[in-house]
């Protein structure tokens, strides 16, 4: 029988650590971004702070430039996650740039037989699992949030390898239309996502409103 994540001792330890470390992480993140127009390397540094200072990974668990992947998260020779980083301020949820960054991470993950992918610009972090040839949402958080997003446990050392019970979507999405998307017609608004059983307006990224299987990031 699968034990709910909230009942695990590792969940309690990790979420308590997230809450305790969050103020210092926010201060360090703001310091890294103080100049404006930072490079992709700054986003990488913020992700390293997140995984090694907020979560329970060690700095040595983050490998850089492995088969062109920006960051590969591993432990004891097992690779768990590919993270594609982009310049700060470029990956707003629901926009085409985020989709392209995830697609790029997916290519690196497929070559290295890694089952989870992520994209981040140092502000937003999105992760998904590769299941059945597609991507299943795992996490979407705002790293600038004043309150610690405890859903980060799903990318912790003891959370990343567990099947996600429900996507931890912690980001309110703006009403701006995603780049490249179009408005749904009256017939399309009656469609529901095959897994989540939600209509199109409940998803942050809608590349094709007439094809529910393409809808990603449910947030309502």
């Amino acid at each position: 029988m699968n034990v709910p994540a909230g009942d695990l001792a590792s969940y309690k330890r990790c979420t308590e650590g997230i809450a305790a470390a969050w103020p210092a992480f926010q201060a360090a993140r703001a310091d890294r971004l103080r100049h404006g127009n930072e490079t992709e390397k700054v986003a990488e540094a913020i992700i390293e702070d997140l995984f090694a200072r907020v979560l329970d990974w060690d700095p040595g668990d983050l490998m850089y430039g492995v088969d062109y992947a920006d960051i590969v998260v591993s432990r004891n020779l097992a690779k768990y996650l590919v993270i594609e980083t982009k310049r700060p301020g470029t990956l707003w949820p629901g926009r085409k740039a985020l989709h392209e960054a995830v697609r790029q991470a997916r290519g690196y993950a497929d070559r290295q037989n890694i089952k989870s992918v992520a994209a981040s610009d140092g502000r937003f972090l999105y992760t998904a699992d590769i299941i059945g040839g597609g991507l299943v949402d795992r996490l979407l958080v705002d790293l600038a949030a004043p309150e610690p997003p405890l859903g980060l446990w799903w990318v912790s050392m003891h959370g990343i390898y567990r099947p996600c019970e429900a996507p931890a979507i912690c980001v309110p999405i703006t009403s701006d239309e995603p780049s490249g998307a179009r408005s749904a017609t009256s017939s399309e608004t009656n469609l529901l996502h095959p897994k989540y059983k939600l209509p199109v307006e409940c998803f942050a990224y809608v590349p094709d409103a007439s094809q529910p299987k393409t809808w990603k990031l449910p947030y309502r």
Side-chain angles (χ1 to χ4, degrees):
M1 182 177 66
N2 291 328
V3 178
D7 293 340
L8 297 171
S10 62
Y11 178 87
K12 182 179 180 180
R13 288 195 304 270
C14 185
T15 52
E16 288 176 349
I18 292 170
W22 198 247
F25 170 74
Q26 288 294 297
R29 179 181 174 277
D31 186 56
R32 292 188 184 280
L33 295 170
R34 71 182 186 275
H35 301 294
N37 196 33
E38 282 80 8
T39 68
E40 184 178 305
K41 289 295 184 182
V42 173
E44 287 189 2
I46 291 171
I47 291 299
E48 180 173 334
D49 289 344
L50 177 69
F51 277 73
R53 297 185 182 182
V54 178
L55 296 172
D56 49 5
W57 301 93
D58 295 328
D61 294 331
L62 275 64
M63 304 186 296
Y64 297 88
V66 180
D67 196 13
Y68 300 102
D70 287 337
I71 302 174
V72 172
V73 182
S74 68
R75 172 63 67 92
N76 296 330
L77 302 180
K79 298 178 180 179
Y80 293 103
L81 180 67
V82 170
I83 306 174
E84 177 66 19
T85 57
K86 297 297 182 184
R87 187 169 57 82
T90 59
L91 296 186
W92 197 267
R95 297 298 180 88
K96 186 177 181 181
L98 177 60
H99 173 73
E100 289 301 313
V102 173
R103 182 190 61 79
Q104 193 172 351
R106 170 70 187 274
Y108 302 140
D110 286 345
R111 288 202 296 271
Q112 299 186 52
N113 196 31
I114 300 174
K115 300 304 182 184
S116 296
V117 297
S120 180
D121 63 349
R123 166 73 188 272
F124 297 103
L125 172 67
Y126 170 72
T127 68
D129 299 322
I130 303 171
I131 298 176
L135 293 177
V136 177
D137 303 329
R138 174 172 282 261
L139 176 73
L140 173 61
V141 297
D142 183 351
L143 300 180
E147 295 299 320
L150 302 184
L152 282 168
W153 182 82
W154 289 106
V155 291
S156 71
M157 187 174 64
H158 294 289
I160 188 62
Y161 60 82
R162 297 178 183 275
C164 190
E165 297 166 1
I169 307 299
C170 308
V171 177
I173 309 299
T174 68
S175 59
D176 293 342
E177 184 183 49
S179 177
R182 60 181 177 82
S183 300
T185 65
S186 59
S187 62
E188 288 166 346
T189 58
N190 295 322
L191 297 175
L192 296 178
H193 191 277
K195 176 181 178 182
Y196 298 112
K197 308 303 180 185
L198 296 172
V200 63
E201 60 266 22
C202 294
F203 291 82
Y205 182 64
V206 182
D208 188 341
S210 67
Q211 299 293 326
K213 66 181 181 180
T214 69
W215 305 347
K216 302 291 292 181
L217 304 178
Y219 70 98
R220 294 186 187 175

